[in-house]
Amino acid sequence: MSPVLAGVLQLIALIAALALAYRPLGDYMAAVYSSPKHLRIEKFIYRCIGANADTEMRWPAYLRGILAFSLAGVLFLYVIQRLQGHLPLSLGFASISPDQAFNTAASFVTNTNWQSYSGEQAMGHVVQTGGLAVQNFVSAATGMAVAVALVRGFARSRTGELGNFWADLVRSTIRILVPLAVLAAIVLVACGAIQNFSGIHGVGQFFGGSQQTNGGAVASQEAIKELGTNGGGYFNANSAHPFENPNAFTNLFEIFLILVIPFALTRTFGKLVGNVKQGYAILAAMVTIWLGFTVLMMWSEFAHGGSALQAAGAAMEGKETRFGIGSSAIFSVATTLTSTGAVDSFHSSFTAFGGGIQLLSMMLGEIAPGGVGSGIYGMLVMAVIAVFIAGLMVGRTPEYLGKKISTREIKLAACYILITPALVLLFTAVSMVLPDALGSMLNTKAQGAAPHGFSEILYAYTSGANNNGSAFAGLNANTPWYNITIGLATLLGRFLPMVFVLALAGSLAEQKPIPETAGTLRTEKPLFAGLLVGTILIITGLTYFPALALGPLAEGLS
Amino acid sequence: MNNSVRNTARLLTAGLRALLVLTVVCGVIYPLVVTGVAQAAFPGTANGSELTSHGKVVGSSLLGQRYDKGKDKQGNPIPDLHWFQPRPSAGLGSNRTAKPPVNPQYDLQVSGASNLGAGNTDLLKSVKDAKQWVATTYGVPESQVPADAVTSSGSGLDPDISPEYAQIQVNRVAKENNLPADKVEQLVKDHTQGRQLGFMGDPRVNVLELNVALRDLVQKQG
C-alpha cells in the first residue's frame, strides 16, 4: 500500500469515527445544558462555591462570573509556579521566573497552552497535574459555557437571561469532560502512554548503565489536552514524544479527541434552537474547510517542496517514523483549525506551503471546527456576518434564526472579528523592528531562510492571539518581550471576543422573534453553507494576505 | 461604592472557591483514579514499556537510544557499526539559546526537533552530509538512502527506522559481527512491523528490539 493511500484511508476512518459519535454526543450535550436537575456532586460543588445554580444571569453577570473565575485561575497558576521551588513533589525544579510564570498562567487559562518552557526541564507534579491540567478542563468548560450562552441568546426571546455560568461551567466539566477524559486516558495507557508518579528516575540502557527519564501523570494530561483542545504537552516534544503518543493508532485517536466535541457541538446547537438542520448547515461549512485544508496539506507534504526536503527525498524532518507523513499532515490541520496546538510533528520543518496552511487555519479564527465552545461561537458570529452580507446584496433587513440582525448586532460581530487580526499584526510589526525580538529567530537570512524567520514571529502571535498554542518552535520565546506580549495577546484574544459574544447573546435574547416569510434567507440550506465558507475565506484572506505573502508565500515561491 | 467593592470581593471569592473545588476534582481525584486503573490494569505500559533482556532492563521500547563507541577528537560520538543505527541526531539543531540545547543526542530529558525550515541551507547541508555518510558506510548508492536516515525526528527520541533503512544496514552489520547476512536479514524481517490494522502509520523497525535480538544471535554464535 502506498503512503498516500494509507493517509487517505486514515482520513476516511477518522471521518467515520467522528460521524458515529456526532449524534449521540451532540444530543447528550444538549440534554446536559437543558436539564433542570443537578447531580448530587454538582450540588456539593455549588455549595462550595456559594452560588445558587438556578438563578438566571443577564449577560453582564455571566461575563463577571467568567472574568472572576479566570482571574482566580491566572493568579493561582502564577503563584504555584513562583513557589514551585518550595513546594513538595516538584522534582527539584526551581521556581519559574515572573515573566514566564505570567505567560504560562495566561496561556493555560485562555485555552492557548503556548509553552515557552520545556516540560521535562521545568515543571514538577504540582504545577503540571494540579495546576496546568486543571486549566485544561476548566478553560475548555468556560468556552463551552460561552457557546451555550450564545445559543440560548438565539433560542430565547423577550428575556435578557442567558443561563447560569456556574452551572454551565460545572456541568461541562463534570458531565462531559471528566467522563470522556477518563475513558480516553485509559485507552492511551493501554496503548503505551505512561501514567505514574515515579518522577525523575534512571532507566537501564542497551550498553548497561542508565539514563535519567521523567515519569508523570502523562496519559491523564494527554487525554484532556486533546479533548479540551488545549495542547500543552507534558514533554517538550508534545504529542511527538512516544510517551504521549506511542503509535499510529493513538495518533489517530488523539486527532479524533481533538475534533469530536467541536463538531458535535453543531448538533447541540441545532437541538437547542429547535432545528437540527441549522446545525447541519454550520457543520457543512466547517467540514468543507477542514477537509479542503487537510487535502491541501497532504498534497503539499507528500510533494515535499523545499531544497532540504527535496534532497532528503521526503518531508520527514521533524516527523516520527511510526506516524508517517499522511497522519502527521492530518494531525497538523486538526490542531491548527481547532484551538488545540498540540503537535505530533514539528510545524517549522513542514514545507513552506504546509506552514502557510497551518498559519491560515489559525487566522480563520479557529472555527472549522474550532476550539471546544470557541469554535461554534466564532462560527455563529461569522454566520451573522454572512447573513448581513446576503441582506445587503438583496436589500433586506438581515435576520438569523428568527432574530433581526440590526446595527447593534453587526457592531458587536464586527468588533469580534477585528480583535485578533489587530493583535496579531500589531505585535508582529513591533517585533520586526526590535533587535532583541529579531534575535530570537532560529532560521535566519544567513541560512537563506529570511521569510521563515519572519514566519516564526508571525506564527507566534497568530498562535497566541487565536489561543492555539502551537509554534514554529525554533523561535526562542522565553524572553521577557515574548513572554509578556504573547501572554497579553492570549488574554486579550480570549476575553475581549467573549465580551462581544455575550453582549450579542444578551441583545438577541431580548428580541422578540420575527416570523419567517417568503423573503427570509434559508440558513439551513447548502447555499447558505457555501456563502458562509466564502465569507470566512474572503474576510480572512483580505486581512492577512500581505503578512502571508511576506512569510510562507515568499518562502514557497522562491 | 462600598457596596460595589463588597460585590466584587464576593464574586472573586466565588471564583477562587470554584477553582479550588474543581482543582480537587480535576487535579487530584481525576489523575489518581486514572493512575490507579492504569497501574492495576496496564502496569507495563503505564511505567514506560521497559524492555528486559536476560533479566536486565535495556531501555524503554518506546524511546530511541544511541549505539556508539566513544567520541572523536571534536567530541562527536562515533557510531558503533556492530549495531543497527537509529535516525540521525547529530544534525539536530542546537536551538542556540535554549539551555540546555534541544536534544543533542537522544537525551531522554531533552525531547524536541531541529525546527529548521524546509529550505534552510544548514538543514540542506546536514541532509546531504548524512546521505553521503550513509551511502559510503553501507555501500549503497545515494538514491537508495531513505528519508528517515537523513532527517531528525519530531521528538528526537524516535525509536523506529523504516524497513528500508534497516535493510541497507544488514550487510555491514553482518560483516562486523561475523554473521551470515541472510540471518541478519531474517532478523530484520522478523522485527518489521507493518501498518497497524493494515493502514495506520508507516511500516517500521524498532531499533532497540532489533539490536537486542541481534546481540542474542551474536552470543549464540560466539
Side-chain angles (χ1 to χ4, degrees):
Chain A
M1 184 185 296
S2 80
V4 179
L5 179 60
V8 172
L9 288 178
Q10 289 176 85
L11 185 59
I12 292 171
L14 177 65
I15 294 170
L18 288 167
L20 278 179
Y22 179 76
R23 276 182 68 164
L25 181 61
D27 291 351
Y28 172 70
M29 290 193 288
V32 165
Y33 293 118
S34 35
S35 156
K37 287 202 182 111
H38 304 297
L39 301 180
R40 195 177 301 163
I41 177 175
E42 291 171 346
K43 284 184 197 157
F44 171 75
I45 293 174
Y46 299 138
R47 268 205 305 281
C48 291
I49 302 175
N52 179 355
D54 291 315
T55 30
E56 285 285 334
M57 292 174 171
R58 299 175 70 81
W59 79 265
Y62 203 97
L63 177 66
R64 280 197 297 270
I66 289 173
L67 294 179
F69 180 67
S70 302
L71 181 65
V74 173
L75 291 177
F76 180 75
L77 270 190
Y78 182 81
V79 169
I80 61 171
Q81 289 179 82
R82 296 287 294 134
L83 295 177
Q84 174 165 261
H86 308 284
L87 294 174
L89 293 175
S90 289
L91 309 178
F93 291 129
S95 302
I96 308 295
S97 69
D99 56 314
Q100 193 172 34
F102 162 71
N103 179 280
T104 307
S107 167
F108 275 73
V109 170
T110 55
N111 200 249
T112 309
N113 299 32
W114 172 269
Q115 296 167 293
S116 72
Y117 64 88
S118 165
E120 61 266 47
Q121 298 274 324
M123 301 296 187
H125 290 317
V126 177
V127 177
Q128 290 257 38
T129 306
L132 302 178
V134 173
Q135 284 301 327
N136 283 355
F137 281 97
V138 297
S139 68
T142 304
M144 293 164 89
V146 173
V148 174
L150 177 61
V151 174
R152 291 196 188 110
F154 281 112
R156 294 177 176 182
S157 339
R158 297 191 187 87
T159 168
E161 293 168 346
L162 298 175
N164 183 291
F165 169 65
W166 304 113
D168 292 337
L169 171 77
V170 171
R171 285 181 181 190
S172 304
T173 310
I174 300 291
R175 296 197 205 180
I176 300 169
L177 295 172
V178 171
L180 290 178
V182 170
L183 288 178
I186 290 168
V187 170
L188 288 173
V189 177
C191 296
I194 60 167
Q195 180 73 24
N196 58 57
F197 284 100
S198 52
I200 296 171
H201 61 278
V203 55
Q205 298 285 285
F206 183 72
F207 288 136
S210 77
Q211 217 192 132
Q212 294 295 102
T213 185
N214 291 58
V218 174
S220 57
Q221 185 161 336
E222 187 72 12
I224 188 58
K225 156 192 148 188
E226 314 293 7
L227 196 60
T229 60
N230 295 281
Y234 198 95
F235 297 101
N236 186 49
N238 209 298
S239 301
H241 197 293
F243 280 169
E244 292 197 16
N245 196 355
N247 58 45
F249 167 75
T250 57
N251 191 50
L252 214 52
F253 181 61
E254 288 180 13
I255 303 172
F256 169 79
L257 291 179
I258 288 172
L259 297 170
V260 68
I261 293 181
F263 274 133
L265 276 171
T266 59
R267 170 86 185 180
T268 310
F269 157 72
K271 279 285 215 188
L272 292 177
V273 298
N275 182 354
V276 287
K277 284 187 182 157
Q278 298 286 356
Y280 295 157
I282 298 288
L283 175 69
M286 288 177 170
V287 169
T288 305
I289 294 174
W290 171 64
L291 269 185
F293 278 35
T294 304
V295 169
L296 281 176
M297 179 65 93
M298 287 172 89
W299 169 76
S300 182
E301 290 308 294
F302 279 119
H304 63 285
S307 57
L309 301 182
Q310 285 291 321
M316 282 304 286
E317 182 67 27
K319 295 195 180 78
E320 301 280 302
T321 310
R322 61 192 182 283
F323 306 147
I325 290 165
S327 74
S328 298
I330 300 172
F331 196 115
S332 87
V333 171
T335 198
T336 46
L337 269 175
T338 58
S339 73
T340 311
V343 292
D344 78 338
S345 49
F346 277 72
H347 289 183
S348 191
S349 299
F350 271 59
T351 58
F353 291 126
I357 295 168
Q358 290 152 359
L359 269 165
L360 186 60
S361 298
M362 295 186 288
M363 287 166 173
L364 292 181
E366 294 168 358
I367 50 180
V372 285
S374 60
I376 182 107
Y377 69 65
M379 195 52 133
L380 290 174
V381 169
M382 291 309 298
V384 166
I385 304 266
V387 164
F388 172 68
I389 292 173
L392 288 183
M393 287 194 276
V394 295
R396 276 184 53 92
T397 311
E399 55 195 76
Y400 185 48
L401 304 172
K403 297 294 171 70
K404 217 172 358 185
I405 306 300
S406 56
T407 321
R408 180 176 159 80
E409 283 80 25
I410 281 301
K411 276 185 186 158
L412 292 168
C415 286
Y416 177 97
I417 61 169
L418 286 174
I419 294 164
T420 39
L423 290 169
V424 171
L425 297 175
L426 266 173
F427 279 127
T428 304
V430 175
S431 297
M432 288 309 289
V433 295
L434 292 178
D436 278 358
L438 292 174
S440 280
M441 289 178 183
L442 174 73
N443 289 274
T444 60
K445 200 173 163 192
Q447 301 161 318
H452 200 81
F454 169 75
S455 295
E456 288 177 7
I457 292 180
L458 178 65
Y459 198 109
Y461 290 109
T462 307
S463 172
N466 284 291
N467 301 139
N468 187 273
S470 64
F472 268 15
L475 186 76
N476 173 26
N478 186 20
T479 66
W481 167 256
Y482 285 113
N483 275 332
I484 292 168
T485 52
I486 294 175
L488 283 175
T490 64
L491 289 172
L492 296 172
R494 173 77 164 176
F495 294 110
L496 282 180
M498 277 189 181
V499 173
F500 298 119
V501 167
L502 288 171
L504 179 65
S507 140
L508 291 168
E510 279 169 12
Q511 289 186 28
K512 58 174 192 286
I514 41 176
E516 205 170 280
T517 66
T520 303
L521 174 66
R522 303 291 297 270
T523 50
E524 75 282 15
K525 296 280 179 190
L527 179 68
F528 177 72
L531 178 74
L532 184 52
V533 172
T535 308
I536 293 163
L537 293 178
I538 289 167
I539 289 180
T540 315
L542 290 176
T543 314
Y544 287 108
F545 180 76
L548 286 172
L550 292 173
L553 289 179
E555 187 187 341
L557 296 174
S558 66
Chain B
M1 180 64 202
N2 250 344
N3 217 9
S4 81
V5 170
R6 205 173 308 134
N7 281 341
T8 310
R10 194 183 303 147
L11 191 64
L12 287 176
T13 320
L16 192 61
R17 286 156 75 167
L19 179 73
L20 292 178
V21 62
L22 288 173
T23 298
V24 173
V25 175
C26 307
V28 181
I29 298 174
Y30 163 70
L32 289 180
V33 166
V34 174
T35 309
V37 174
Q39 291 291 342
F42 312 102
T45 52
N47 293 315
S49 306
E50 287 181 354
L51 190 66
T52 40
S53 167
H54 305 293
K56 268 193 187 161
V57 176
V58 292
S60 162
S61 63
L62 290 176
L63 303 176
Q65 293 185 30
R66 297 189 64 91
Y67 304 89
D68 298 324
K69 45 171 187 190
K71 293 186 176 177
D72 65 11
K73 280 174 203 147
Q74 283 91 45
N76 294 319
I78 308 163
D80 184 347
L81 299 174
H82 286 88
W83 311 109
F84 283 92
Q85 292 295 315
R87 294 180 68 180
S89 53
L92 281 180
S94 55
N95 228 18
R96 297 158 309 155
T97 41
K99 283 178 192 130
V102 169
N103 200 43
Q105 342 252 302
Y106 283 93
D107 180 340
L108 298 187
Q109 285 192 284
V110 256
S111 61
S114 77
N115 286 309
L116 296 174
N120 188 304
T121 48
D122 285 5
L123 180 62
L124 178 62
K125 185 173 179 303
S126 79
V127 165
K128 281 184 168 165
D129 291 352
K131 199 160 218 175
Q132 202 186 13
W133 183 86
V134 172
T136 2
T137 308
Y138 296 111
V140 291
E142 286 199 1
S143 60
Q144 269 188 33
V145 178
D148 65 294
V150 298
T151 51
S152 47
S153 64
S155 62
L157 301 169
D158 198 334
D160 305 309
I161 53 176
S162 65
E164 294 76 22
Y165 189 29
Q167 186 57 44
I168 61 176
Q169 299 188 40
V170 162
N171 285 334
R172 181 76 194 248
V173 169
K175 199 174 127 212
E176 296 278 336
N177 289 300
N178 295 317
L179 289 170
D182 56 334
K183 284 211 163 178
V184 179
E185 188 163 1
Q186 189 56 43
L187 216 54
V188 169
K189 282 213 180 84
D190 294 344
H191 284 85
T192 300
Q193 304 172 51
R195 294 191 166 90
Q196 279 178 298
L197 302 179
F199 69 97
M200 291 181 190
D202 272 355
R204 61 205 166 111
V205 178
N206 184 298
V207 183
L208 179 61
E209 288 172 7
L210 179 60
N211 278 336
V212 167
L214 176 66
R215 185 154 64 185
D216 287 348
L217 190 65
V218 171
Q219 280 165 359
K220 214 160 55 185
Q221 297 277 329

